[in-house]
Amino acid sequence: KAVGMADRDAKKPMRADSIFRICSMTKPLTSVAVMMLYEEGRFTLNQPVSDFIPEFKSVKVLDPPFPQDKTSPPGALVDAKRPITIRHLLTHTSGLTYHWNPRLGKAYTEAKMGHGLLQQEGTIGDAVKKLAAQPLLFQPGDAWEYSLSDDVLGYFVEVVSGMPLDKFFQERIFKSLGIKDTYYFLPDEKVARLATAYTYYAEKGLHPILDKQIIKEGQLEYSADYHYRGPRTYFSGGGGLSSTAEDYYRFCQMLLNGGQLNGTRLLSRKSVELISQNHVQGKLDEM
């Protein structure tokens, strides 16, 4: 059942099929897509991503690395001791970061790196190739940092499958699970079901994010209308989908069931057990 308001100021009640911007809850969908391709034998988890995205062949690393140095701007660079692997990307131990990181965030913003929460020109492939030119925060595998790793994985899915990420989700995951209201860019007839997004200001409280408004928080910029305004060409593996509670429930129930829902299997039980384990133990202690 639904409770509360989908738009507080318009007194529009929440509905069971209201659509929400699910932001980083896009990441588990991308990871499942990767594991589906893994089960097809397309790659190994310890394989370098540069085998599929050559721009990552010769990445550089900040010296000293993060978190040993958390704040100074990029300075000296050293070669990566080991390649970024698919496993590093899946576990956020790749050395990549996000726009709010104090050491590399400004460089990401200046490079016009997308993150899925703002209108973005071009494609995820364009962005990932630019990302490969940025230095890493730390040597791959040495630490953990929440990052654009899933955007790289989104493009990786495109390269391996030969399908745009939105089409892969639609054809290989959504149809199989009966997911019918989950999109990067909403059809016009479903925009009215999108719940209003709000931001909080200490001096004036909760305020709706208006159309064509860009919110800035440090190095991070985001909007609320990217789902229906803009070029509609950027499919971020790390953020950007809209969905309903029921649609996402179906996805979660598939994982809870060990990889299948209503007789349709997306992943083996062994893969679900693998992705449910802690792969970063000991890499968070110093963060």
Side-chain angles (χ1 to χ4, degrees):
K1 63 183 180 180
V3 296
M5 310 300 290
D7 186 321
R8 186 183 64 175
D9 302 304
K11 296 184 169 46
K12 180 180 175 182
M14 194 70 77
R15 298 173 13 174
D17 66 349
S18 289
I19 297 172
F20 303 89
R21 303 156 185 82
I22 66 170
C23 304
S24 282
M25 295 312 294
T26 304
K27 288 179 170 67
L29 284 153
T30 301
S31 295
V32 163
V34 170
M35 293 306 293
M36 290 170 71
L37 293 169
Y38 166 71
E39 288 193 351
E40 293 173 5
R42 307 287 194 96
F43 54 89
T44 65
L45 295 180
N46 292 325
Q47 192 166 357
V49 69
S50 59
D51 287 357
F52 302 88
I53 308 172
E55 286 78 8
F56 282 100
K57 198 113 189 138
S58 303
V59 290
K60 300 292 185 180
V61 182
L62 293 183
D63 184 33
F66 186 91
Q68 183 179 326
D69 181 344
K70 290 190 174 183
T71 57
S72 68
L77 300 177
V78 295
D79 292 335
K81 295 177 182 176
R82 60 191 74 90
I84 298 172
T85 65
I86 312 306
R87 188 186 298 272
H88 291 146
L89 293 168
L90 285 165
T91 57
H92 290 266
T93 57
S94 63
L96 298 170
T97 185
Y98 261 120
H99 300 62
W100 53 79
N101 180 272
R103 289 198 74 188
L104 284 179
K106 185 178 180 184
Y108 277 33
T109 300
E110 289 174 350
K112 296 185 167 34
M113 282 304 309
H115 48 61
L117 305 182
L118 187 67
Q119 285 81 353
Q120 183 77 18
E121 298 288 343
T123 66
I124 188 67
D126 299 331
V128 165
K129 290 169 186 174
K130 287 193 295 184
L131 181 61
Q134 300 297 322
L136 301 180
L137 273 181
F138 49 79
Q139 292 288 343
D142 278 5
W144 181 92
E145 170 82 356
Y146 195 60
S147 69
L148 288 168
S149 289
D150 281 271
D151 282 59
V152 178
L153 289 173
Y155 179 50
F156 172 74
V157 168
E158 294 192 340
V159 171
V160 174
S161 70
M163 301 167 65
L165 187 59
D166 66 330
K167 188 175 181 184
F168 187 97
F169 283 163
Q170 190 66 45
E171 297 294 323
R172 298 289 306 273
I173 299 178
F174 299 165
K175 279 186 180 179
S176 300
L177 299 181
I179 288 173
K180 58 188 185 303
D181 285 323
T182 302
Y183 304 90
Y184 276 105
F185 305 108
L186 293 171
D188 291 343
E189 66 272 15
K190 296 189 178 185
V191 172
R193 285 163 50 196
L194 186 63
T196 298
Y198 292 83
T199 190
Y200 182 80
Y201 301 97
E203 66 280 4
K204 52 185 181 181
L206 202 63
H207 271 253
I209 304 173
L210 305 176
D211 278 3
K212 301 182 179 179
Q213 182 181 9
I214 294 177
I215 304 296
K216 296 185 178 183
E217 295 179 358
Q219 291 293 334
L220 179 64
E221 296 184 353
Y222 60 91
S223 68
D225 59 0
Y226 58 90
H227 290 291
Y228 51 89
R229 293 182 189 274
R232 301 184 178 225
T233 58
Y234 194 88
F235 309 124
S236 166
L241 283 174
S242 291
S243 188
T244 62
E246 181 184 354
D247 274 3
Y248 212 82
Y249 156 81
R250 288 174 177 272
F251 174 71
C252 293
Q253 189 67 55
M254 175 274 293
L255 291 173
L256 190 61
N257 292 349
Q260 64 86 26
L261 182 70
N262 297 332
T264 299
R265 181 166 292 280
L266 294 191
L267 287 177
S268 69
R269 183 171 293 277
K270 286 291 185 185
S271 285
V272 176
E273 289 173 0
L274 177 66
I275 65 178
S276 303
Q277 295 171 9
N278 182 353
H279 294 272
V280 294
Q281 194 163 9
K283 297 187 192 303
L284 300 174
D285 299 342
E286 58 186 1
M287 302 301 282

